[in-house]
Amino acid sequence: MEDELIPRLPVDQESIDFGEWHIEYFKSHILKSICSKGQDAHCNKDEDDCCELCTYRNALELPHLPDMVFHKNKLVLTHRDGASLEFLPMESLRLVENGKQPLQVACAQEWKESRPESLMEEKFKPFDWTFTTDYQGTPNEKFNIEKTEQQLNKFKLMQREKILFYHDLTLFEDELHDNGISSCSVKIRVMPSGFFILLRHFLRVDNVLLKIHDTRFHYEIGNNYIFKEFTMRGASYEELKSVPPPYFTIPNEIEQHMPIKKKETYKLIFK
């Protein structure tokens, strides 16, 4: 019985000191789907012992959360001068439209026409049920962020290098009631020349559309900044009808066939 009272610690944690950077990830189980007080209970915001589920509910105010929220998963990069860049599940979900403003997702009408009426009451609610987010990470105030015309150094990133540190973290995932997938994940790899991070939101609504929101970060040893590239890709199934169907489930394959709708590049200057 006493063992049950011990808080569950993250099942995985690893770090590396890389030059002037300390890089660390935390990985753990998914957020429970039931309040600690019971099936239909809900902790109040002001309660000292508010459970983890209700902490998320209260902070986000979404009609419901994704099927799987990895609430303790996070990636943190900290420079010795104080600059910090984090990747956090709650912050990614804060950018999901929650019904406070009128919203019509791009595929709504077509989706509604292709589904039985019985599904509509449960599924089509006044918030973005696809959990689309354009989250781009959480830098602290120590960074000076400037727009730039510089482009991602793909040639450098394609060179074969020893991988000093690598991890792939899921922040959240939802199967859209078996009608597709919406997932947000972050990957990092550290090489002798620097580090590269890919933060990706991937959305597939079966037989309707696909979206990929990517934020790439590239730091090269010797620079006083991290380069950042944000891209938004999107296409309907009709626009992708010549693409082999198996590619639709593989983001790295399908992205090559999806047009870029928006692209922004920045320098995150840390000293």
Side-chain angles (χ1 to χ4, degrees), residues 64-240:
H64 65 86
L65 297 173
D67 296 333
M68 293 182 287
V69 178
F70 295 86
H71 62 302
K72 291 184 179 179
N73 285 11
K74 67 177 179 177
L75 174 65
V76 184
L77 296 88
T78 308
H79 189 264
R80 69 181 182 189
D81 290 341
S84 176
L85 177 61
E86 297 182 283
F87 299 89
L88 308 165
M90 185 179 288
E91 296 307 311
S92 69
L93 287 167
R94 284 189 195 278
L95 298 180
V96 174
E97 294 283 357
N98 65 3
K100 290 183 178 178
Q101 298 177 347
L103 175 74
Q104 182 80 353
V105 294
C107 59
Q109 192 57 42
E110 187 173 351
W111 191 91
K112 289 174 74 174
E113 290 172 358
S114 68
R115 294 292 178 268
E117 191 67 31
S118 59
L119 276 179
M120 291 304 101
E121 184 177 347
E122 163 65 22
K123 192 71 172 65
F124 196 72
K125 297 184 176 182
F127 86 113
D128 184 0
W129 49 267
T130 68
F131 297 104
T132 299
T133 178
D134 56 3
Y135 178 57
Q136 299 173 41
T138 307
N140 71 359
E141 73 286 351
K142 297 289 186 177
F143 281 104
N144 179 25
I145 302 174
E146 298 179 354
K147 279 203 166 187
T148 179
E149 296 300 315
Q150 184 177 323
Q151 299 300 306
L152 187 68
N153 191 344
K154 293 182 180 179
F155 176 76
K156 182 77 171 180
L157 290 171
M158 288 172 64
Q159 293 179 353
R160 293 181 66 86
E161 286 192 81
K162 180 180 179 181
I163 304 298
L164 306 176
F165 183 85
Y166 173 84
H167 208 73
D168 181 357
L169 286 173
T170 300
L171 302 184
F172 71 79
E173 185 173 312
D174 190 279
E175 294 185 350
L176 308 180
H177 288 227
D178 296 324
N179 293 301
I181 191 167
S182 176
S183 67
C184 187
S185 63
V186 59
K187 298 179 182 179
I188 182 170
R189 77 174 191 258
V190 181
M191 305 81 68
S193 67
F195 58 74
F196 175 72
I197 298 168
L198 172 60
L199 172 67
R200 166 171 286 173
H201 177 256
F202 175 63
L203 171 69
R204 186 188 78 250
V205 181
D206 290 336
N207 302 312
V208 181
L209 61 72
L210 293 102
K211 290 182 180 180
I212 296 179
H213 294 174
D214 281 342
T215 312
R216 292 176 168 86
F217 300 84
H218 186 201
Y219 167 70
E220 295 184 70
I221 289 282
N223 287 345
N224 68 337
Y225 64 90
I226 300 173
F227 174 80
K228 170 186 161 185
E229 175 194 84
F230 174 69
T231 57
M232 298 177 68
R233 297 175 185 267
S236 67
Y237 265 62
E238 178 64 24
E239 292 171 313
L240 298 170

